[in-house]
Short mmCIF file of all heavy atoms in Angstrom, two decimals:
data_model
loop_
_atom_site.label_atom_id
_atom_site.label_comp_id
_atom_site.label_asym_id
_atom_site.label_seq_id
_atom_site.Cartn_x
_atom_site.Cartn_y
_atom_site.Cartn_z
N ARG A 7 2.26 -6.22 11.10
CA ARG A 7 3.41 -5.32 11.37
C ARG A 7 4.66 -6.02 10.68
O ARG A 7 4.77 -7.22 10.66
CB ARG A 7 3.66 -5.24 12.83
CG ARG A 7 2.54 -4.36 13.40
CD ARG A 7 2.97 -3.80 14.89
NE ARG A 7 1.95 -2.96 15.37
CZ ARG A 7 1.99 -1.62 15.14
NH1 ARG A 7 2.91 -1.17 14.42
NH2 ARG A 7 1.00 -0.90 15.81
N CYS A 8 5.54 -5.12 10.24
CA CYS A 8 6.81 -5.63 9.56
C CYS A 8 7.61 -6.20 10.69
O CYS A 8 7.69 -5.78 11.86
CB CYS A 8 7.53 -4.42 9.09
SG CYS A 8 9.23 -4.82 8.44
N LYS A 9 8.24 -7.38 10.52
CA LYS A 9 8.88 -8.24 11.40
C LYS A 9 10.24 -7.40 11.87
O LYS A 9 10.68 -7.78 13.00
CB LYS A 9 9.29 -9.61 10.88
CG LYS A 9 8.09 -10.46 10.75
CD LYS A 9 8.44 -11.77 10.10
CE LYS A 9 7.20 -12.56 9.91
NZ LYS A 9 7.43 -13.87 9.15
N GLN A 10 10.83 -6.62 10.99
CA GLN A 10 11.96 -5.93 11.35
C GLN A 10 11.83 -4.54 11.90
O GLN A 10 12.31 -4.21 13.06
CB GLN A 10 12.92 -5.83 10.06
CG GLN A 10 13.41 -7.12 9.50
CD GLN A 10 14.26 -6.90 8.45
OE1 GLN A 10 14.44 -5.81 7.83
NE2 GLN A 10 14.71 -8.02 7.83
N CYS A 11 10.94 -3.74 11.42
CA CYS A 11 10.73 -2.39 11.87
C CYS A 11 9.48 -2.11 12.61
O CYS A 11 9.28 -1.06 13.23
CB CYS A 11 10.97 -1.30 10.72
SG CYS A 11 9.53 -1.39 9.52
N ARG A 12 8.62 -3.09 12.52
CA ARG A 12 7.33 -3.03 13.33
C ARG A 12 6.41 -2.05 12.78
O ARG A 12 5.43 -1.67 13.42
CB ARG A 12 7.57 -2.90 14.78
CG ARG A 12 8.50 -3.83 15.52
CD ARG A 12 8.03 -5.30 15.54
NE ARG A 12 6.74 -5.38 16.28
CZ ARG A 12 5.78 -6.28 16.00
NH1 ARG A 12 6.01 -7.20 15.01
NH2 ARG A 12 4.74 -6.33 16.69
N ALA A 13 6.68 -1.54 11.60
CA ALA A 13 5.67 -0.45 10.91
C ALA A 13 4.45 -1.24 10.62
O ALA A 13 4.45 -2.47 10.19
CB ALA A 13 6.29 -0.02 9.70
N PRO A 14 3.24 -0.60 10.84
CA PRO A 14 2.02 -1.28 10.49
C PRO A 14 1.84 -1.35 8.95
O PRO A 14 2.30 -0.54 8.19
CB PRO A 14 0.88 -0.21 10.97
CG PRO A 14 1.62 0.99 11.27
CD PRO A 14 3.10 0.68 11.43
N LEU A 15 1.44 -2.52 8.48
CA LEU A 15 1.31 -2.92 7.09
C LEU A 15 -0.01 -3.41 6.69
O LEU A 15 -0.78 -3.87 7.51
CB LEU A 15 2.43 -4.03 6.74
CG LEU A 15 3.89 -3.77 7.01
CD1 LEU A 15 4.56 -5.15 6.75
CD2 LEU A 15 4.34 -2.62 6.23
N ASP A 31 2.76 0.26 3.57
CA ASP A 31 2.76 0.89 4.89
C ASP A 31 1.33 1.42 5.07
O ASP A 31 0.74 2.01 4.22
CB ASP A 31 3.68 2.14 5.00
CG ASP A 31 5.04 1.63 4.95
OD1 ASP A 31 5.48 0.75 5.73
OD2 ASP A 31 5.96 2.24 4.11
N HIS A 86 6.10 -1.47 0.78
CA HIS A 86 6.88 -1.16 1.96
C HIS A 86 8.33 -1.64 1.83
O HIS A 86 8.66 -2.68 1.22
CB HIS A 86 6.27 -2.13 3.13
CG HIS A 86 7.19 -2.16 4.42
ND1 HIS A 86 7.26 -0.96 5.22
CD2 HIS A 86 8.02 -2.94 5.05
CE1 HIS A 86 7.96 -1.26 6.15
NE2 HIS A 86 8.49 -2.47 6.07
N ARG A 87 9.21 -0.75 2.24
CA ARG A 87 10.64 -0.93 2.22
C ARG A 87 11.22 -0.73 3.51
O ARG A 87 11.30 0.38 4.17
CB ARG A 87 11.29 0.14 1.19
CG ARG A 87 10.78 0.03 -0.27
CD ARG A 87 11.70 -0.96 -1.09
NE ARG A 87 11.18 -0.81 -2.29
CZ ARG A 87 10.66 -1.88 -3.11
NH1 ARG A 87 10.48 -3.00 -2.51
NH2 ARG A 87 10.43 -1.70 -4.37
N CYS A 88 11.54 -1.83 4.14
CA CYS A 88 11.99 -1.75 5.47
C CYS A 88 13.43 -1.18 5.58
O CYS A 88 14.15 -1.58 4.76
CB CYS A 88 11.90 -3.15 6.14
SG CYS A 88 12.46 -3.02 7.93
N THR A 89 13.65 -0.23 6.40
CA THR A 89 14.92 0.36 6.46
C THR A 89 15.79 -0.03 7.75
O THR A 89 16.90 0.40 7.93
CB THR A 89 14.78 1.99 6.58
OG1 THR A 89 14.10 2.33 7.57
CG2 THR A 89 14.21 2.62 5.35
N THR A 90 15.13 -0.89 8.45
CA THR A 90 15.81 -1.42 9.67
C THR A 90 16.69 -2.64 9.27
O THR A 90 16.19 -3.56 8.61
CB THR A 90 14.75 -1.78 10.66
OG1 THR A 90 14.02 -0.72 10.99
CG2 THR A 90 15.42 -2.29 12.06
N GLU A 91 17.86 -2.60 9.70
CA GLU A 91 18.76 -3.76 9.57
C GLU A 91 18.40 -4.92 10.48
O GLU A 91 17.89 -4.70 11.68
CB GLU A 91 20.33 -3.41 9.76
CG GLU A 91 20.85 -2.47 8.83
CD GLU A 91 20.99 -2.90 7.51
OE1 GLU A 91 21.35 -4.19 7.39
OE2 GLU A 91 20.79 -2.19 6.49
#
Side-chain angles (χ1 to χ4, degrees):
R7 292 196 174 269
C8 176
K9 292 178 183 175
Q10 292 179 358
C11 70
R12 305 296 298 152
L15 303 174
D31 292 310
H86 173 70
R87 300 272 187 241
C88 187
T89 57
T90 305
E91 292 294 321

